[in-house]
Amino acid sequence: MKGIIFDLDGVIVSTDKLHYAAWKKMADDESIYFDEQINNRLRGVSRMASLEIILEKANKTYTDEEKLALAEKKNNLYRELLKELTPADRLPGVTKTLDELKARGFKLAIGSSSKNTPQILKYIGFDGFFDAVSDGNNITHSKPDPEVFLKASEMLGLSPEDCYIVEDSTAGIEAGLAGGFSTIGIGDAALYERTLYKIRSFDEILGIVK
Ligand code: BG6
Ligand code: MG
């Protein structure tokens, strides 16, 4: 194995909690029921697809224009919350583990559905750290489609068989499997039966990759 492609939200940084807070505010304002369990279904899924999942609980139907306005409202709230991020918001074990993986010669990439990836990487001090960044700005299909990971491996100059993907979402694990990658799951994805390597803490990656 030569490369490792990391999801961002909920793997490298705790932005999954900020996504939840922003969607929760939007849902409350619209009197739509929304909880952490529904939020787990939004992991790895694009902004508009996430909104569609939340609207399953709505009592009215929304026009396409209204949907765009709701998604924009959520994104504006989310971007306000992002401004508070610092390197201290990297998840436990991330800094040490990534440094060690680099030292072992692995090429490291980000594979995230988020269009906010560049700003987030800046806020947490990872601007320029990864060998490649593939995100919501350069894909047309969101996870579980493998596009974002395939683009990342292409940017690294590696084939999927030579790369692991690290994910917290079942959609991301499915994307990894569809692309022919070895899958490592943390959090929600560690509870998923189709995940190849299930980990409880980020530093366990060091014992898996070779
Ligand atoms: C993923 C998150 O990383 O990015 C999803 O897990 C989110 O919950 C998606 O919907 C899109 O993010 P953004 O920042 O482009 O709205
Ligand atoms: Mg994630």
Side-chain angles (χ1 to χ4, degrees):
M1 291 289 183
K2 296 166 185 158
I4 311 174
I5 304 166
F6 298 88
D7 172 50
L8 181 67
D9 298 319
V11 170
I12 298 292
V13 57
S14 53
T15 38
D16 50 332
K17 301 213 165 63
L18 306 183
H19 274 296
Y20 175 72
W23 280 127
K24 179 72 180 146
K25 169 87 173 76
M26 184 230 78
D28 285 352
D29 288 354
E30 293 295 313
S31 303
I32 299 169
Y33 179 79
F34 181 60
D35 63 16
E36 302 249 6
Q37 215 176 330
I38 299 171
N39 187 60
N40 278 339
R41 291 174 57 206
L42 313 185
R43 291 179 188 274
V45 172
S46 73
R47 195 179 308 158
M48 290 312 288
S50 296
L51 177 65
E52 292 294 347
I53 291 171
I54 293 170
L55 293 184
E56 286 172 10
K57 293 274 187 228
N59 293 318
K60 60 169 262 199
T61 49
Y62 290 83
T63 65
D64 287 348
E65 220 169 78
E66 288 169 331
K67 286 179 187 174
L68 281 175
L70 289 180
E72 195 186 332
K73 177 176 167 177
K74 179 267 176 176
N75 193 45
N76 289 336
L77 286 167
Y78 180 61
R79 289 172 71 92
E80 278 306 308
L81 298 174
L82 289 180
K83 287 182 184 161
E84 305 292 318
L85 284 180
T86 73
D89 293 293
R90 294 177 187 179
L91 283 163
V94 164
T95 305
K96 224 179 109 230
T97 303
L98 293 183
D99 285 344
E100 169 69 19
L101 292 170
K102 260 198 179 181
R104 288 195 202 170
F106 283 102
K107 284 191 180 174
L108 308 182
I110 290 290
S112 167
S113 303
S114 174
K115 294 188 168 153
N116 291 299
T117 296
Q119 288 83 356
I120 294 168
L121 290 176
K122 248 179 230 152
Y123 288 139
I124 62 171
F126 271 149
D127 198 15
F129 177 85
F130 291 90
D131 299 297
V133 176
S134 172
D135 65 32
N137 298 297
N138 65 7
I139 54 167
T140 47
H141 305 290
S142 168
K143 299 167 189 174
D145 190 284
E147 185 181 7
V148 76
F149 291 140
L150 292 173
K151 287 243 163 92
S153 62
E154 224 172 85
M155 288 175 185
L156 292 177
L158 298 173
S159 60
E161 309 87 77
D162 290 329
C163 299
Y164 297 91
I165 62 103
V166 185
E167 261 294 343
D168 71 320
S169 72
T170 54
I173 294 294
E174 284 302 327
L177 290 170
F181 298 88
S182 292
T183 61
I184 301 175
I186 191 164
D188 212 41
L191 306 171
Y192 188 46
E193 71 273 10
R194 281 166 57 77
T195 301
L196 184 58
Y197 299 102
K198 302 176 171 96
I199 60 173
R200 293 171 66 96
S201 63
F202 194 86
D203 58 0
E204 285 177 50
I205 295 170
L206 294 172
I208 292 169
V209 299
K210 51 181 181 299

